[in-house]
């Protein structure tokens, strides 16, 4: 949780500020354990999914047939 501003609890949503530069391991308001969120075993609720990789470009189209005179 190294960020510029206060972090937010993933379960109760309250702002949590670091105290004396110490990173908290549990929410002081609801008691939520941050360990599963920090090691990636539990996804943060409401976080957007990562965007999919763009597809490969298609082959160029053949030139159009000449028009009738």
């Amino acid at each position: 949780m190294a960020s510029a501003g206060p972090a937010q609890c993933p379960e109760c949503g309250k702002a949590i500020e670091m105290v004396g530069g110490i990173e908290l391991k549990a929410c002081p308001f609801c008691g939520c354990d941050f360990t599963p969120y920090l090691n990636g075993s539990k996804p943060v609720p409401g976080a957007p999914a990562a965007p999919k990789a763009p597809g490969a470009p298609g082959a160029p189209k053949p030139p159009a047939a000449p028009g009738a005179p």
Side-chain angles (χ1 to χ4, degrees), residues 6-38:
Q8 202 172 19
C9 175
E11 293 193 9
C12 71
K14 293 188 178 182
I16 302 167
E17 295 188 24
M18 288 180 31
V19 181
I22 299 172
E23 188 175 292
L24 300 176
K25 299 293 181 194
C27 177
F29 302 105
C30 69
C32 164
D33 182 22
F34 296 146
T35 306
Y37 296 104
L38 294 173

